[in-house]
Amino acid sequence: KSAGKSTWRMYRQDADQSRNAFTRLSWKDRIVEALENDGLELHYQGIYGAKERDLVHLEALVRMRDAQNPGGLILPGHFIPHAEKTGKIVDIDRWVIKRTIELLATKPNMPSVAINISGRSFDEPELPEFISNMLRVHCVDPRRLLVELTETAAVSDLRDAQRFIDALRATGCTVCLDDFGNGFASFAYLKQLKADILKIDGFFVRDLPNDRDSQVFVRGMVDMAHAMDKTTIAEFVENETIYTMLVEFGVDLVQGYYLDKPQRNHPGIMEN
Ligand code: C2E
Ligand code: MG
Ligand code: MG
Ligand code: MG
């Protein structure tokens, strides 16, 4: 209809799946366009000490500016899967790494920043080297960068993952397993992947007040992580009840809407 009266178009299912019906630009084109024309931005959410509630880290979360809807943003859940499928995730990863390290370089007193790298990038062995070069060029202390490995459930080869994590830790940055507990092989990963931090999946945290199994599970993960000398973060801390339970369980760090929402101009950056 939008093309005018008395017109018709052939319908192809594959076209419908991979193309946006309004712009007829593929996700790949939109991602390339965003990378080339300043169409991505990072928002930051605080990660706080559980007891003191002091700001310890910031997590950088990517968004894409919506070309169809000025001022609108597209959340990563919509475009990261397409970036992964088309291989463009490599360019997004590099953009996030570069942006973050440049920010850290200009703000020597800001908290350390956690970035997200998809488990699908484990077969990208140059990435740890890219990070270490970038840190060196900008004279940024690697301890100011945390790398959250997301979707580790998508890891097809644990040896690749182990090699990737070892290389990352050799650069001196801190490695965190994101969304821990989500995915069937979590315990195998824990045994084999030498991460510094476990971030407990928000799925368990959100249900804490009403679900005894989640309570047992979160408590168990915290104790287990501590026995392995790892730090724990709980994400999706949405209210005071959840927050209080987590403090009681001994979790180290908390993150969620109860503390703050992801925002472009986070006070933790602005005030430093
Ligand atoms: P994640 O790393 O587990 O990030 C947490 C997600 O939960 C974020 O969604 C955040 O906005 C949201 N969140 C934070 N606090 C709360 C809360 O209290 N309640 C609820 N319900 N949600 C909360 P977002 O920004 O949409 O990101 C979704 C996922 O996209 C991330 O999950 C991460 O896996 C991925 N992602 C984000 N940025 C990047 C990136 O730069 N690169 C890659 N590869 N993946 C990214
Ligand atoms: Mg994350
Ligand atoms: Mg997470
Ligand atoms: Mg998540």
Side-chain angles (χ1 to χ4, degrees):
K1 266 187 187 165
S2 65
K5 276 189 176 170
S6 312
T7 61
W8 60 274
R9 292 258 162 82
M10 285 286 273
Y11 174 79
R12 272 178 39 216
Q13 199 176 4
D14 59 323
D16 194 46
Q17 277 165 3
S18 63
R19 283 167 192 277
N20 177 298
F22 298 101
T23 58
R24 291 189 281 123
L25 273 183
S26 68
W27 273 105
K28 186 177 180 184
D29 292 339
R30 293 170 78 180
I31 293 165
V32 170
E33 166 90 8
L35 282 160
E36 283 171 0
N37 298 308
D38 196 30
L40 295 178
E41 52 185 64
L42 289 173
H43 287 214
Y44 301 88
Q45 185 178 32
I47 301 177
Y48 296 83
K51 285 200 205 91
E52 288 79 13
R53 288 207 215 185
D54 53 323
L55 182 62
V56 179
H57 311 294
L58 290 167
E59 179 172 6
L61 296 157
V62 73
R63 278 95 181 83
M64 188 193 271
R65 297 196 183 120
D66 188 352
Q68 260 72 64
N69 168 25
L73 293 173
I74 305 171
L75 291 172
H78 289 102
F79 64 91
I80 293 284
H82 297 284
E84 288 176 341
K85 256 182 263 156
T86 57
K88 285 290 141 200
I89 190 67
V90 183
D91 302 298
I92 294 182
D93 285 344
R94 284 171 193 249
W95 181 86
V96 171
I97 292 163
K98 186 164 181 287
R99 255 311 161 86
T100 300
I101 292 174
E102 284 168 355
L103 177 70
L104 287 166
T106 56
K107 302 262 182 184
N109 297 317
M110 72 173 282
S112 45
V113 177
I115 58 168
N116 291 281
I117 300 282
S118 158
R120 284 165 218 266
S121 299
F122 287 168
D123 53 7
E124 215 56 58
E126 314 82 49
L127 212 55
E129 199 184 318
F130 181 78
I131 293 177
S132 77
N133 285 339
M134 211 39 96
L135 288 164
R136 193 160 5 90
V137 166
H138 292 279
C139 302
V140 169
D141 185 335
R143 286 170 298 185
R144 299 176 66 206
L145 186 71
L146 282 70
V147 179
E148 296 190 4
L149 302 169
T150 65
E151 279 208 69
T152 38
V155 170
S156 53
D157 187 339
L158 266 179
R159 278 165 311 176
D160 277 355
Q162 185 55 61
R163 231 174 280 132
F164 189 87
I165 290 178
D166 288 346
L168 273 180
R169 293 184 77 209
T171 71
C173 54
T174 304
V175 174
C176 170
L177 293 186
D178 204 346
D179 304 326
F180 188 74
N182 192 342
F184 296 107
S186 307
F187 284 96
Y189 291 143
L190 188 58
K191 182 170 178 289
Q192 259 176 283
L193 307 181
K194 307 279 178 264
D196 307 284
I197 304 180
L198 289 191
K199 189 182 272 196
I200 300 166
D201 194 87
F203 172 73
F204 300 100
V205 176
R206 212 175 33 194
D207 290 346
L208 275 179
N210 311 310
D211 181 30
R212 247 193 64 86
D213 287 352
S214 292
Q215 293 166 21
V216 172
F217 199 84
V218 170
R219 206 190 272 273
M221 280 200 285
V222 171
D223 291 345
M224 187 178 61
H226 287 166
M228 298 174 85
D229 292 319
K230 296 182 196 301
T231 300
T232 49
I233 306 179
E235 63 175 2
F236 287 24
V237 181
E238 291 182 349
N239 56 53
E240 188 170 358
T241 311
I242 295 175
Y243 170 77
T244 308
M245 293 178 93
L246 287 165
V247 172
E248 194 206 308
F249 293 173
V251 81
D252 302 290
L253 301 166
V254 290
Q255 176 180 12
Y257 297 162
Y258 178 60
L259 289 312
D260 64 24
K261 291 205 167 169
Q263 51 200 298
R264 194 154 180 227
N265 299 312
H266 195 285
I269 300 172
M270 296 299 130
E271 289 162 10
N272 279 293

